[in-house]
């Protein structure tokens, strides 16, 4: 049995900055406050895999 | 008013593919800390916790809360 995991199953584009990692506040481009400048938000599966790899590397 | 955080939950049923459920942090900053993608027909039951004070739904979905039913588009 093979399991295929799509990127969408791991992370979704930040809806606040649309993946731009930046937002405009007072006409200044600053790090997106909603995703901390990552541009994406992890899913539960994404966080589980990330923690697993961090634990075993 | 009920201020408890651990026992309130909502039911989300996706009515199209790619519905996004986004959890927002409790506290001064409301950041997105978690997201989940639901495909058509999938159901998610999400609880308000010490970490999550708000839930944002993007896409067409049916929501059931203690306040009643609502549909997102």
């Amino acid at each position: 049995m093979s399991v295929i995991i799509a990127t969408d199953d791991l992370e979704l584009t930040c809806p606040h900055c649309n993946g731009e990692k930046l937002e405009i506040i007072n006409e200044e481009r600053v790090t997106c406050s909603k995703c901390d400048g990552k541009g994406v938000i992890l899913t539960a599966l994404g966080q589980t895999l990330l923690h697993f790899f961090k634990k075993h590397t | 008013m009920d201020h408890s955080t651990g026992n309130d939950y909502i039911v989300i049923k996706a009515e199209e593919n790619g519905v996004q459920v986004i959890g927002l942090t409790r506290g001064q900053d409301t950041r997105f800390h978690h997201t989940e993608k639901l495909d058509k027909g999938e159901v998610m039951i999400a609880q308000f916790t010490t970490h999550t004070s708000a839930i944002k739904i993007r896409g067409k979905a049916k929501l059931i809360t203690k306040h009643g039913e609502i549909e997102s588009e």
Side-chain angles (χ1 to χ4, degrees):
Chain A
M1 191 187 118
S2 67
V3 178
I4 298 166
I5 301 171
T7 311
D8 275 5
D9 295 329
L10 302 175
E11 62 180 26
L12 294 176
T13 305
C14 173
H16 190 67
C17 65
N18 285 319
E20 296 286 317
K21 303 179 180 180
L22 298 166
E23 63 179 322
I24 296 165
I25 294 177
N26 297 329
E27 294 177 17
E28 228 177 288
R29 286 160 73 86
V30 297
T31 304
C32 175
S33 59
K34 296 290 184 186
C35 63
D36 280 339
K38 292 190 191 88
V40 293
I41 310 154
L42 267 59
T43 64
L45 182 61
Q47 290 186 23
T48 303
L49 278 177
L50 184 65
H51 288 147
F52 181 85
F53 288 127
K54 277 182 176 172
K55 184 180 165 187
H56 294 285
T57 50
Chain B
M1 194 175 169
D2 184 10
H3 287 286
S4 61
T5 56
N7 53 15
D8 197 7
Y9 62 89
I10 64 169
V11 179
I12 305 144
K13 183 180 180 187
E15 296 196 326
E16 67 179 4
N17 287 340
V19 170
Q20 293 181 18
V21 182
I22 303 163
L24 285 85
T25 53
R26 187 176 296 282
Q28 272 194 324
D29 303 324
T30 48
R31 289 180 293 105
F32 300 144
H33 68 87
H34 180 242
T35 182
E36 210 63 51
K37 188 196 77 176
L38 300 181
D39 284 332
K40 189 175 181 179
E42 286 186 323
V43 172
M44 184 170 171
I45 302 168
Q47 199 171 29
F48 292 95
T49 66
T50 51
H51 289 108
T52 304
S53 66
I55 297 171
K56 175 170 169 164
I57 317 285
R58 283 164 63 93
K60 193 171 165 55
K62 180 181 270 188
L63 314 168
I64 304 171
T65 74
K66 70 177 180 184
H67 306 288
E69 283 188 31
I70 192 166
E71 283 196 18
S72 65
E73 288 171 20

